[in-house]
Amino acid sequence: ELPKTRMRRIEYLTEAEVTKLIRSIVNDTSKIPEVTKRRNQALILCMFGSGLRLSEVLGLKISDVQDIDGQLMITGKGGKIRTTYLAPAAMESIKQYMELRGQDNCPYLFISFSKNRNSNPAKWTPLTPRMVQMMLQKYANALGIYKHITPHTLRHSFATKVLFEGGDLRSVQTLLGHASISTTQIYTHITDWQIKELHRKVFGKKTKPLSEIL
């Protein structure tokens, strides 16, 4: 019999924290181009609203999000294809970003903008994981959010929100593209909280004293 493994603690952002993060990006007063701000906003909304892995969101192409009604086909780990969905806020943000970006020859949705972008098309390359990590940590620190924030934190935040809103582990497994439900069970702390709340609602109501019942 295998020993029981200790349930690892996951870090996630609340919806309020994600909103503050996005606002801080859009309202950044430093010399960051507006197109970069809108790109960062769209990227965060795609990850938080769809639960995409960082590799999946950075692998998105413009053609993947054109002429769709919120439904997104993702090729995940092991080449497995799954269906997920873009939230309306993410779709609107992508639209704003693409209007500012204009026409170019790079097929990828989230690209790096360098100072030489206009003169050297070879600089139009996809964002790197390191760039995304640095961007997230920068704005989180500026807001005083001192959790260990990584791009995967947004994936955890997506799963947590789905469960808080009444979803079940099987639904989260499907949306995240987990091959096994055992992987999804890292979110058991959320379902435990739901069970506790359910019990409180059912049995926490004021009833007659036990002496009167007996």
Short mmCIF file of all heavy atoms in Angstrom, two decimals, residues 8 20 46 50 55 69 74 77 99 102 109-110 126 128 142 145 156 186 202 204:
data_model
loop_
_atom_site.label_atom_id
_atom_site.label_comp_id
_atom_site.label_asym_id
_atom_site.label_seq_id
_atom_site.Cartn_x
_atom_site.Cartn_y
_atom_site.Cartn_z
N ARG A 8 -0.63 19.21 -1.88
CA ARG A 8 0.14 20.44 -1.99
C ARG A 8 -0.78 21.65 -2.06
O ARG A 8 -1.88 21.59 -2.59
CB ARG A 8 1.06 20.40 -3.21
CG ARG A 8 0.38 20.41 -4.57
CD ARG A 8 1.44 20.23 -5.65
NE ARG A 8 0.87 20.21 -6.98
CZ ARG A 8 0.76 21.27 -7.77
NH1 ARG A 8 1.15 22.44 -7.34
NH2 ARG A 8 0.25 21.16 -8.99
N LYS A 20 -7.70 43.96 -10.54
CA LYS A 20 -6.71 44.98 -10.18
C LYS A 20 -5.47 44.86 -11.05
O LYS A 20 -4.89 45.86 -11.48
CB LYS A 20 -6.32 44.84 -8.71
CG LYS A 20 -7.38 45.28 -7.72
CD LYS A 20 -6.88 45.10 -6.29
CE LYS A 20 -7.93 45.52 -5.27
NZ LYS A 20 -7.45 45.31 -3.88
N CYS A 46 -7.23 35.78 -21.42
CA CYS A 46 -7.29 34.47 -22.07
C CYS A 46 -6.93 33.36 -21.09
O CYS A 46 -7.56 32.30 -21.06
CB CYS A 46 -6.33 34.42 -23.26
SG CYS A 46 -7.00 35.17 -24.76
N SER A 50 -9.99 31.11 -19.56
CA SER A 50 -10.06 29.85 -20.30
C SER A 50 -9.23 28.74 -19.67
O SER A 50 -9.34 27.58 -20.08
CB SER A 50 -9.59 30.06 -21.75
OG SER A 50 -10.38 31.03 -22.39
N SER A 55 2.07 27.55 -22.49
CA SER A 55 2.50 27.11 -23.82
C SER A 55 1.35 27.15 -24.82
O SER A 55 1.54 27.44 -26.00
CB SER A 55 3.06 25.68 -23.74
OG SER A 55 2.07 24.79 -23.24
N ASP A 69 -17.14 31.95 -32.20
CA ASP A 69 -18.17 32.41 -31.27
C ASP A 69 -17.81 32.01 -29.84
O ASP A 69 -18.60 31.40 -29.13
CB ASP A 69 -19.52 31.81 -31.67
CG ASP A 69 -20.66 32.40 -30.84
OD1 ASP A 69 -20.50 33.53 -30.32
OD2 ASP A 69 -21.70 31.73 -30.70
N ILE A 74 -8.05 23.68 -28.75
CA ILE A 74 -6.69 23.75 -28.25
C ILE A 74 -6.01 22.40 -28.40
O ILE A 74 -6.58 21.35 -28.07
CB ILE A 74 -6.67 24.15 -26.75
CG1 ILE A 74 -7.19 25.58 -26.58
CG2 ILE A 74 -5.27 24.03 -26.16
CD1 ILE A 74 -6.30 26.64 -27.18
N LYS A 77 -1.20 18.92 -24.19
CA LYS A 77 -0.12 17.96 -23.99
C LYS A 77 -0.40 16.66 -24.73
O LYS A 77 -1.53 16.19 -24.78
CB LYS A 77 0.05 17.67 -22.50
CG LYS A 77 0.71 18.80 -21.70
CD LYS A 77 0.95 18.37 -20.27
CE LYS A 77 1.68 19.45 -19.49
NZ LYS A 77 1.93 19.03 -18.07
N GLU A 99 -6.68 45.61 -33.28
CA GLU A 99 -6.90 46.88 -33.97
C GLU A 99 -5.68 47.79 -33.85
O GLU A 99 -5.30 48.47 -34.80
CB GLU A 99 -8.14 47.57 -33.40
CG GLU A 99 -9.45 46.93 -33.84
CD GLU A 99 -10.66 47.55 -33.17
OE1 GLU A 99 -10.47 48.40 -32.26
OE2 GLU A 99 -11.80 47.18 -33.53
N GLY A 102 -2.54 46.11 -35.92
CA GLY A 102 -2.60 46.28 -37.36
C GLY A 102 -2.14 45.03 -38.11
O GLY A 102 -2.10 43.93 -37.56
N LEU A 109 -0.57 35.15 -32.21
CA LEU A 109 -1.44 36.16 -31.60
C LEU A 109 -0.67 37.07 -30.65
O LEU A 109 -0.77 38.30 -30.74
CB LEU A 109 -2.59 35.47 -30.86
CG LEU A 109 -3.60 36.38 -30.16
CD1 LEU A 109 -4.29 37.31 -31.16
CD2 LEU A 109 -4.64 35.53 -29.42
N PHE A 110 0.09 36.49 -29.76
CA PHE A 110 0.80 37.28 -28.75
C PHE A 110 2.29 37.36 -29.11
O PHE A 110 3.03 36.39 -28.94
CB PHE A 110 0.60 36.68 -27.36
CG PHE A 110 -0.83 36.72 -26.91
CD1 PHE A 110 -1.56 35.55 -26.78
CD2 PHE A 110 -1.46 37.93 -26.66
CE1 PHE A 110 -2.89 35.58 -26.37
CE2 PHE A 110 -2.79 37.98 -26.26
CZ PHE A 110 -3.50 36.80 -26.11
N PRO A 126 6.99 35.37 -31.31
CA PRO A 126 6.07 35.15 -30.19
C PRO A 126 6.70 35.55 -28.86
O PRO A 126 7.92 35.54 -28.69
CB PRO A 126 5.82 33.64 -30.24
CG PRO A 126 6.20 33.21 -31.60
CD PRO A 126 7.30 34.13 -32.03
N THR A 128 7.94 35.08 -25.11
CA THR A 128 8.56 33.93 -24.45
C THR A 128 7.95 33.77 -23.06
O THR A 128 7.44 34.73 -22.48
CB THR A 128 10.07 34.13 -24.31
OG1 THR A 128 10.33 35.22 -23.41
CG2 THR A 128 10.71 34.42 -25.67
N ALA A 142 3.80 45.61 -7.84
CA ALA A 142 3.38 47.01 -7.78
C ALA A 142 2.06 47.18 -7.04
O ALA A 142 1.81 48.20 -6.40
CB ALA A 142 3.27 47.58 -9.20
N ILE A 145 0.65 42.55 -4.24
CA ILE A 145 0.23 41.15 -4.20
C ILE A 145 1.50 40.32 -4.10
O ILE A 145 2.20 40.13 -5.10
CB ILE A 145 -0.57 40.76 -5.47
CG1 ILE A 145 -1.81 41.66 -5.62
CG2 ILE A 145 -0.99 39.29 -5.41
CD1 ILE A 145 -2.58 41.43 -6.91
N HIS A 156 -4.64 28.14 -12.22
CA HIS A 156 -5.23 27.76 -10.93
C HIS A 156 -6.42 28.66 -10.59
O HIS A 156 -7.42 28.21 -10.05
CB HIS A 156 -4.19 27.87 -9.82
CG HIS A 156 -3.12 26.82 -9.86
ND1 HIS A 156 -3.35 25.52 -10.26
CD2 HIS A 156 -1.80 26.89 -9.54
CE1 HIS A 156 -2.22 24.83 -10.19
NE2 HIS A 156 -1.28 25.63 -9.75
N ILE A 186 -5.99 18.36 -7.04
CA ILE A 186 -5.27 19.37 -6.26
C ILE A 186 -6.22 20.49 -5.84
O ILE A 186 -5.91 21.26 -4.94
CB ILE A 186 -4.08 19.98 -7.05
CG1 ILE A 186 -4.56 20.67 -8.34
CG2 ILE A 186 -3.02 18.94 -7.34
CD1 ILE A 186 -3.49 21.49 -9.01
N VAL A 202 -27.51 23.71 5.52
CA VAL A 202 -28.52 22.69 5.83
C VAL A 202 -28.73 22.55 7.33
O VAL A 202 -29.87 22.52 7.82
CB VAL A 202 -28.13 21.32 5.22
CG1 VAL A 202 -29.11 20.24 5.67
CG2 VAL A 202 -28.11 21.42 3.70
N GLY A 204 -27.05 24.50 9.81
CA GLY A 204 -26.66 25.65 10.62
C GLY A 204 -27.83 26.54 11.00
O GLY A 204 -27.66 27.54 11.71
#
